[in-house]
Amino acid sequence: MAQDLPPQGGYEPRNLPARGFRPGYYLLGMFAIMGYGWYKYIKGVRELNELGREKMWSRIHLIPLLQAENDRDQVRRYWADQDREQELLGKKTRVYHSDRFVRPTYGITPTNISK
């Protein structure tokens, strides 16, 4: 059986378009998508920095309020302790020879000390 061969002189040239877009368009699209991603990422980082700064300033502005609350609680405990001492001892006792308020310091000591 004879094999089919191309005609003498070959086939006539055909103008077939290439499939898909040119590679430059794919690169342009890729860079556009990456640029948008970087834009959103940088905006997100700036937003996080701004939220962190806002949190820090809110804490800075709340410190005096929290300190005042702690001081009021400490004074209440101090006067309750003074009243309790007055009931038990029958007189007012002072550790320091001054009427100036001294912030109490609480030292926690262990109950059993091993050497």
Side-chain angles (χ1 to χ4, degrees):
M1 174 177 216
Q3 184 176 0
D4 287 339
L5 296 173
Q8 290 289 346
Y11 294 110
E12 63 184 54
R14 296 178 5 175
N15 187 12
L16 294 176
R19 293 187 53 153
F21 298 109
R22 292 180 181 168
Y25 292 143
Y26 284 115
L27 281 173
L28 185 65
M30 183 188 68
F31 283 127
I33 290 171
M34 278 181 28
Y36 179 73
W38 277 103
Y39 169 74
K40 293 298 275 185
Y41 172 74
I42 291 170
K43 274 187 74 170
V45 166
R46 287 181 181 163
E47 180 72 19
L48 283 177
N49 288 343
E50 184 63 32
L51 288 175
R53 187 180 302 119
E54 183 178 337
K55 182 188 284 188
M56 184 60 66
W57 277 106
S58 65
R59 288 179 181 174
I60 287 171
H61 290 300
L62 280 177
I63 285 174
L65 177 72
L66 297 174
Q67 185 66 43
E69 183 180 352
N70 188 22
D71 290 346
R72 282 192 300 270
D73 184 50
Q74 208 168 41
V75 167
R76 182 187 56 81
R77 288 174 187 263
Y78 174 75
W79 288 118
D81 189 38
Q82 291 294 321
D83 291 342
R84 199 174 315 114
E85 278 185 15
Q86 180 80 21
E87 288 177 16
L88 291 175
L89 301 176
K91 63 179 180 174
K92 252 190 176 176
T93 59
R94 290 189 300 203
V95 177
Y96 305 108
H97 301 293
S98 171
D99 290 334
R100 189 173 68 90
F101 177 75
V102 178
R103 182 182 295 272
T105 56
Y106 299 105
I108 299 173
T109 57
T111 54
N112 54 356
I113 300 172
S114 61
K115 293 185 179 183

